[in-house]
Amino acid sequence: MNNEIDGILLIAYGGPEKPEDIRPFLENVTKAKGFNIPSSRINSVAQHYEDIGGSSPINELTYKQAKELGNFLKQSGLELPVYVGMRNWHPFIVDCVRDISQAGIKKALGIIMAAHQCDASWDRYKRDVKGAIAEAGVDLTIDYIPPLFDHPLFIEDCADNIMEQIAKIPPEKHEKTKILFSAHSIPANMADDSPYVDQLKTSANLIAEKVGDLEWELVYQSRSGRPTDPWLEPDICDVIKNLPKQGYEYLIVLPVGFVCDHVEVLYDIGIEAKEASEKVGLKLLRAKTVNADPKFIRAMGECVLKHINKS
């Protein structure tokens, strides 16, 4: 069994589950980033969590993704335990690694819950898993499935979620509708050293082909760091301000860079971008993230099966 996959590990960001979790969670985030974040920024983000109800749905959704993936694999004739490890909240990756090892698992298949690769969304998770294995002192090997940015079922799922919003717009207004594909901004130098932007463009192109003739643009959101440091642009709210001047009346935002609803989706798009749209007279419709949609679960499951069949 030592050369066979005998467990699955979903690796996610994590989030606060109740108001009293917010500050401890943000302390974990700042430690993980490895540099000092101004208290004003921490206070601002804490308020964002308060504004969306005092918690994040990311943990609950990740557990649902894990459960549905386990069900899919079982229906495919493969019974494997599916674990969840979080970078910034319980269950922390190191605790999950211990649990996996105590269950007798020697080789697991890791799924990083991000569809596009950069240091922040991918490499740091791998380093954290490697560090957790060393800290726990366990005999455990982790393989990884590839990112899902161009998987046909991920693309179909995203397109379905856009079409759900297009159906709410009068047909005669489609030519006055624009789609924004939104992703987390990252420092420009990090982007230069990764396939992040190219993968996002690939996703957006493939989804747009499924959707039809609507105009679209790739934008970025949720930047942090010093204002003087270059980050990926254009910012979603800056783009929104100019859309009415271009003749648009409706806006569909798909958070293509996120596979779960959490604060960046619910606040930065659901509140901040929505307010920016209302200010200039645009109607914003937010397409869902893939969450635990059946097609996204199948995309993960197919990659697991493909990896195991190759082993």
Side-chain angles (χ1 to χ4, degrees):
M1 282 294 287
N2 286 358
N3 294 320
E4 296 179 6
I5 299 295
D6 42 13
I8 308 292
L9 171 60
L10 266 58
I11 311 155
Y13 191 80
E17 297 176 334
K18 51 188 182 298
E20 52 266 41
D21 293 342
I22 294 173
R23 292 289 176 170
F25 165 76
L26 291 176
E27 288 177 11
N28 291 333
V29 172
T30 57
K31 289 176 188 173
K33 286 183 180 292
F35 55 84
N36 291 325
I37 297 175
S39 59
S40 59
R41 173 62 181 167
I42 295 173
N43 291 337
S44 175
V45 175
Q47 186 59 53
H48 294 174
Y49 279 104
E50 295 286 356
D51 291 343
I52 64 169
S55 65
S56 169
I58 187 172
N59 293 3
E60 180 182 354
L61 287 168
T62 305
Y63 274 112
K64 187 174 182 182
Q65 289 169 328
K67 180 181 178 181
E68 294 302 326
L69 175 60
N71 290 339
F72 173 86
L73 294 174
K74 185 175 181 180
Q75 291 166 7
S76 302
L78 185 65
E79 289 204 49
L80 288 176
V82 182
Y83 295 83
V84 171
M86 305 287 190
R87 287 192 70 213
N88 301 298
W89 201 243
H90 307 280
F92 292 108
I93 294 172
V94 66
D95 297 324
C96 186
V97 161
R98 288 192 184 100
D99 290 342
I100 290 173
S101 181
Q102 288 171 5
I105 293 170
K106 297 295 185 182
K107 188 171 185 179
L109 187 59
I111 303 178
I112 297 172
M113 299 308 290
H116 308 87
Q117 292 172 297
C118 68
D119 187 75
S121 68
W122 199 267
D123 299 337
R124 287 181 192 171
Y125 287 85
K126 284 190 171 183
R127 292 197 297 270
D128 284 351
V129 171
K130 185 176 181 180
I133 291 171
E135 181 181 342
V138 298
D139 177 18
L140 178 65
T141 301
I142 307 283
D143 288 347
Y144 294 89
I145 69 166
L148 298 172
F149 70 95
D150 60 350
H151 193 287
L153 288 170
F154 173 71
I155 299 302
E156 282 184 29
D157 198 354
C158 290
D160 290 346
N161 292 340
I162 291 177
M163 294 301 294
E164 184 180 352
Q165 300 307 313
I166 291 175
K168 300 176 183 178
I169 300 172
E172 65 273 16
K173 295 292 186 180
H174 285 184
E175 64 180 15
K176 296 183 179 293
T177 300
K178 187 161 188 175
I179 299 170
L180 296 184
F181 294 100
S182 186
H184 206 302
S185 185
I186 60 173
N189 59 355
M190 184 188 295
D192 291 341
D193 294 333
S194 74
Y196 188 67
V197 174
D198 286 342
Q199 290 178 353
L200 285 166
K201 288 179 179 177
T202 296
S203 294
N205 270 305
L206 292 172
I207 297 164
E209 287 175 4
K210 292 276 185 187
V211 168
D213 297 329
L214 296 185
E215 296 292 325
W216 63 271
E217 186 174 351
L218 176 62
V219 299
Y220 299 94
Q221 61 171 89
S222 313
R223 71 153 289 166
S224 58
R226 294 178 299 186
T228 53
D229 292 339
W231 282 52
L232 289 179
E233 296 178 341
D235 180 81
I236 184 172
C237 289
D238 291 338
V239 170
I240 286 170
K241 292 173 188 174
N242 293 314
L243 290 180
K245 301 173 190 174
Q246 301 166 20
Y248 294 106
E249 298 177 11
Y250 288 84
L251 169 63
I252 298 172
V253 179
L254 174 76
V256 69
F258 304 88
V259 298
C260 269
D261 286 346
H262 50 111
V263 69
E264 284 87 350
V265 175
L266 300 180
Y267 181 86
D268 295 358
I269 297 175
I271 295 177
E272 192 172 49
K274 186 178 180 182
E275 288 177 352
S277 298
E278 290 172 348
K279 195 171 182 179
V280 295
L282 270 176
K283 174 68 173 176
L284 184 151
L285 302 171
R286 179 174 68 83
K288 297 182 300 184
T289 54
V290 292
N291 291 320
D293 290 347
K295 287 183 179 179
F296 181 61
I297 300 301
R298 280 176 53 205
M300 287 195 293
E302 287 185 0
C303 287
V304 170
L305 294 172
K306 183 177 180 180
H307 183 96
I308 289 175
N309 289 334
K310 273 186 177 180
S311 300

Coordinates of all heavy atoms in Angstrom, one line a residue, residues 121-163:
S121 N -1.3 31.5 -3.9 CA -2.4 30.6 -4.1 C -2.1 29.1 -4.2 O -2.9 28.2 -4.1 CB -3.3 30.9 -5.3 OG -2.5 30.7 -6.5
W122 N -0.8 28.8 -4.3 CA -0.4 27.5 -4.6 C 0.9 27.0 -3.9 O 0.9 26.1 -3.1 CB -0.2 27.3 -6.1 CG -0.2 25.9 -6.6 CD1 0.8 25.1 -6.8 CD2 -1.4 25.1 -7.0 NE1 0.4 23.8 -7.3 CE2 -0.9 23.8 -7.4 CE3 -2.7 25.4 -7.0 CZ2 -1.8 22.8 -7.8 CZ3 -3.6 24.3 -7.4 CH2 -3.1 23.1 -7.8
D123 N 2.0 27.8 -4.2 CA 3.3 27.3 -3.7 C 3.4 27.4 -2.1 O 4.0 26.6 -1.5 CB 4.4 28.2 -4.3 CG 4.5 28.1 -5.8 OD1 4.0 27.0 -6.3 OD2 5.0 29.0 -6.5
R124 N 2.8 28.5 -1.6 CA 2.8 28.6 -0.1 C 2.1 27.4 0.6 O 2.5 26.9 1.6 CB 2.1 29.9 0.3 CG 2.9 31.1 0.1 CD 2.2 32.4 0.5 NE 2.9 33.6 0.0 CZ 2.4 34.8 0.2 NH1 1.2 35.0 0.8 NH2 3.0 35.8 -0.3
Y125 N 1.0 26.9 -0.1 CA 0.3 25.8 0.5 C 1.2 24.5 0.5 O 1.2 23.8 1.5 CB -1.0 25.5 -0.3 CG -2.1 26.6 -0.1 CD1 -2.1 27.8 -0.7 CD2 -3.1 26.3 0.9 CE1 -3.1 28.7 -0.5 CE2 -4.0 27.3 1.1 CZ -4.0 28.5 0.4 OH -5.0 29.4 0.7
K126 N 1.9 24.3 -0.6 CA 2.8 23.2 -0.7 C 3.9 23.3 0.4 O 4.2 22.3 1.1 CB 3.4 23.1 -2.0 CG 2.5 22.5 -3.1 CD 3.3 22.2 -4.4 CE 2.5 21.5 -5.4 NZ 3.2 21.1 -6.6
R127 N 4.4 24.5 0.6 CA 5.4 24.7 1.6 C 4.9 24.4 3.0 O 5.5 23.9 3.9 CB 6.0 26.1 1.5 CG 6.9 26.3 0.3 CD 7.7 27.6 0.4 NE 7.0 28.8 0.6 CZ 6.6 29.6 -0.4 NH1 6.9 29.2 -1.7 NH2 5.9 30.7 -0.2
D128 N 3.6 24.9 3.2 CA 3.0 24.7 4.5 C 2.8 23.2 4.8 O 3.0 22.8 5.9 CB 1.7 25.4 4.6 CG 1.8 26.9 4.8 OD1 3.0 27.4 5.0 OD2 0.8 27.7 4.7
V129 N 2.4 22.5 3.8 CA 2.2 21.0 4.0 C 3.5 20.3 4.3 O 3.6 19.5 5.2 CB 1.5 20.4 2.7 CG1 1.5 18.9 2.8 CG2 0.1 20.9 2.6
K130 N 4.6 20.7 3.5 CA 5.9 20.1 3.8 C 6.4 20.5 5.2 O 6.9 19.6 5.9 CB 6.9 20.7 2.8 CG 8.3 20.1 2.8 CD 9.1 20.6 1.7 CE 10.5 20.0 1.8 NZ 11.4 20.5 0.7
G131 N 6.1 21.7 5.6 CA 6.5 22.1 7.0 C 5.7 21.4 8.0 O 6.3 21.1 9.1
A132 N 4.4 21.2 7.8 CA 3.6 20.5 8.7 C 4.0 19.1 8.9 O 4.0 18.6 10.0 CB 2.1 20.6 8.3
I133 N 4.4 18.4 7.8 CA 4.8 17.0 7.9 C 6.1 17.0 8.8 O 6.3 16.1 9.6 CB 5.1 16.4 6.5 CG1 3.7 16.3 5.8 CG2 5.8 15.1 6.6 CD1 3.9 15.9 4.3
A134 N 7.0 17.9 8.5 CA 8.2 18.0 9.3 C 8.0 18.3 10.8 O 8.5 17.6 11.7 CB 9.2 19.0 8.8
E135 N 7.1 19.2 11.1 CA 6.7 19.6 12.4 C 6.1 18.4 13.2 O 6.3 18.1 14.3 CB 5.8 20.8 12.5 CG 5.4 21.2 13.9 CD 4.4 22.4 13.8 OE1 4.3 23.1 12.8 OE2 3.8 22.7 14.9
A136 N 5.2 17.7 12.5 CA 4.5 16.6 13.1 C 5.4 15.3 13.2 O 5.1 14.4 14.0 CB 3.2 16.2 12.3
G137 N 6.5 15.3 12.4 CA 7.4 14.2 12.5 C 6.8 12.9 12.0 O 7.0 11.8 12.6
V138 N 6.0 13.0 11.0 CA 5.3 11.8 10.5 C 5.8 11.3 9.1 O 6.5 12.1 8.4 CB 3.7 12.0 10.3 CG1 3.2 12.4 11.7 CG2 3.5 13.1 9.3
D139 N 5.6 10.1 8.8 CA 6.0 9.5 7.6 C 4.8 9.6 6.6 O 3.9 8.7 6.6 CB 6.4 8.0 7.8 CG 6.8 7.3 6.5 OD1 7.1 8.0 5.5 OD2 6.8 6.0 6.5
L140 N 4.8 10.6 5.8 CA 3.7 10.9 4.9 C 4.2 11.6 3.7 O 5.0 12.5 3.7 CB 2.7 11.8 5.6 CG 1.4 12.2 4.8 CD1 0.6 11.0 4.5 CD2 0.6 13.3 5.6
T141 N 3.7 11.0 2.5 CA 4.0 11.6 1.2 C 2.8 12.2 0.6 O 1.7 11.6 0.7 CB 4.6 10.6 0.3 OG1 5.8 10.0 0.8 CG2 4.9 11.1 -1.1
I142 N 2.9 13.4 0.0 CA 1.7 14.1 -0.6 C 2.0 14.3 -2.1 O 3.0 14.9 -2.4 CB 1.4 15.4 0.1 CG1 1.2 15.3 1.6 CG2 0.2 16.0 -0.6 CD1 -0.1 14.7 2.0
D143 N 1.1 13.8 -2.9 CA 1.1 14.1 -4.4 C 0.0 15.2 -4.5 O -0.8 15.4 -3.6 CB 0.8 12.9 -5.2 CG 1.9 11.9 -5.3 OD1 3.0 12.3 -4.9 OD2 1.7 10.8 -5.8
Y144 N 0.0 15.9 -5.7 CA -1.0 16.9 -5.9 C -1.6 16.7 -7.3 O -0.9 16.4 -8.3 CB -0.3 18.3 -5.8 CG 0.2 18.6 -4.4 CD1 1.5 18.3 -4.0 CD2 -0.7 19.3 -3.5 CE1 1.9 18.6 -2.8 CE2 -0.2 19.6 -2.2 CZ 1.1 19.3 -1.9 OH 1.5 19.5 -0.6
I145 N -2.9 17.0 -7.4 CA -3.5 17.1 -8.7 C -3.2 18.4 -9.3 O -2.9 19.4 -8.6 CB -5.1 16.9 -8.6 CG1 -5.8 18.0 -7.9 CG2 -5.4 15.6 -7.9 CD1 -7.3 18.0 -8.1
P146 N -3.3 18.6 -10.6 CA -3.0 19.8 -11.2 C -4.1 20.9 -11.0 O -5.2 20.5 -10.6 CB -2.9 19.5 -12.7 CG -3.8 18.3 -12.9 CD -3.6 17.5 -11.6
P147 N -3.9 22.1 -11.2 CA -4.9 23.1 -11.1 C -6.0 22.9 -12.1 O -5.8 22.4 -13.2 CB -4.2 24.5 -11.3 CG -3.0 24.1 -12.2 CD -2.6 22.7 -11.7
L148 N -7.2 23.3 -11.7 CA -8.4 23.0 -12.5 C -8.8 24.2 -13.5 O -9.9 24.2 -14.0 CB -9.6 22.7 -11.6 CG -9.4 21.4 -10.7 CD1 -10.5 21.3 -9.7 CD2 -9.3 20.2 -11.6
F149 N -8.0 25.2 -13.7 CA -8.3 26.4 -14.4 C -8.9 26.1 -15.8 O -9.7 26.9 -16.3 CB -7.1 27.3 -14.5 CG -6.0 26.9 -15.4 CD1 -6.0 27.3 -16.7 CD2 -5.1 26.0 -14.9 CE1 -5.0 26.8 -17.6 CE2 -4.0 25.6 -15.8 CZ -4.0 26.0 -17.1
D150 N -8.5 25.0 -16.5 CA -9.0 24.8 -17.8 C -9.7 23.4 -17.9 O -10.0 23.0 -19.0 CB -7.8 24.8 -18.8 CG -6.8 23.7 -18.5 OD1 -6.8 23.1 -17.4 OD2 -5.9 23.5 -19.4
H151 N -10.1 22.9 -16.7 CA -10.8 21.6 -16.8 C -12.2 21.9 -17.4 O -12.9 22.8 -17.0 CB -11.0 21.0 -15.4 CG -11.4 19.6 -15.4 ND1 -12.7 19.3 -15.6 CD2 -10.8 18.4 -15.1 CE1 -12.9 17.9 -15.6 NE2 -11.7 17.4 -15.2
P152 N -12.6 21.1 -18.3 CA -13.9 21.3 -19.0 C -15.1 21.5 -18.1 O -16.0 22.3 -18.3 CB -14.1 20.1 -19.9 CG -12.7 19.6 -20.2 CD -11.9 19.9 -18.9
L153 N -15.1 20.7 -17.0 CA -16.2 20.8 -16.0 C -16.2 22.0 -15.2 O -17.2 22.6 -14.8 CB -16.3 19.5 -15.2 CG -16.7 18.2 -15.9 CD1 -16.5 17.0 -15.0 CD2 -18.2 18.3 -16.3
F154 N -15.0 22.5 -14.8 CA -14.9 23.8 -14.1 C -15.3 24.9 -15.1 O -16.1 25.8 -14.6 CB -13.4 24.0 -13.7 CG -13.1 25.4 -13.2 CD1 -13.6 25.7 -11.9 CD2 -12.4 26.3 -13.9 CE1 -13.4 27.0 -11.4 CE2 -12.2 27.6 -13.4 CZ -12.7 27.9 -12.1
I155 N -15.0 24.8 -16.3 CA -15.4 25.9 -17.3 C -16.9 25.8 -17.5 O -17.6 26.9 -17.4 CB -14.7 25.6 -18.6 CG1 -13.2 25.7 -18.5 CG2 -15.2 26.6 -19.7 CD1 -12.7 27.1 -18.0
E156 N -17.5 24.6 -17.6 CA -18.9 24.5 -17.8 C -19.7 25.0 -16.6 O -20.7 25.7 -16.7 CB -19.3 23.0 -18.0 CG -19.0 22.5 -19.4 CD -19.5 21.1 -19.6 OE1 -20.5 20.7 -18.9 OE2 -19.0 20.4 -20.4
D157 N -19.2 24.7 -15.4 CA -19.8 25.2 -14.1 C -19.8 26.7 -14.1 O -20.9 27.3 -13.8 CB -19.1 24.6 -12.9 CG -19.9 24.6 -11.7 OD1 -21.0 25.2 -11.7 OD2 -19.4 24.1 -10.7
C158 N -18.7 27.3 -14.4 CA -18.6 28.8 -14.3 C -19.6 29.4 -15.4 O -20.3 30.4 -15.1 CB -17.2 29.2 -14.6 SG -16.1 28.9 -13.3
A159 N -19.6 28.8 -16.6 CA -20.5 29.3 -17.6 C -22.0 29.1 -17.2 O -22.8 30.0 -17.5 CB -20.2 28.5 -18.9
D160 N -22.3 28.0 -16.6 CA -23.7 27.8 -16.1 C -24.1 28.9 -15.1 O -25.2 29.4 -15.2 CB -23.8 26.5 -15.4 CG -23.7 25.3 -16.4 OD1 -23.8 25.5 -17.6 OD2 -23.6 24.2 -15.9
N161 N -23.2 29.3 -14.3 CA -23.5 30.3 -13.2 C -23.6 31.7 -13.9 O -24.4 32.5 -13.4 CB -22.4 30.3 -12.2 CG -22.4 29.0 -11.3 OD1 -23.4 28.3 -11.3 ND2 -21.3 28.7 -10.6
I162 N -22.9 31.9 -14.9 CA -23.1 33.2 -15.7 C -24.4 33.2 -16.4 O -25.2 34.2 -16.3 CB -22.0 33.5 -16.7 CG1 -20.7 33.8 -15.9 CG2 -22.3 34.6 -17.6 CD1 -19.4 34.0 -16.8
M163 N -24.7 32.1 -17.0 CA -26.0 32.0 -17.8 C -27.2 32.2 -16.9 O -28.2 32.7 -17.3 CB -26.1 30.6 -18.5 CG -25.0 30.5 -19.6 SD -25.2 31.7 -20.9 CE -26.8 31.3 -21.6

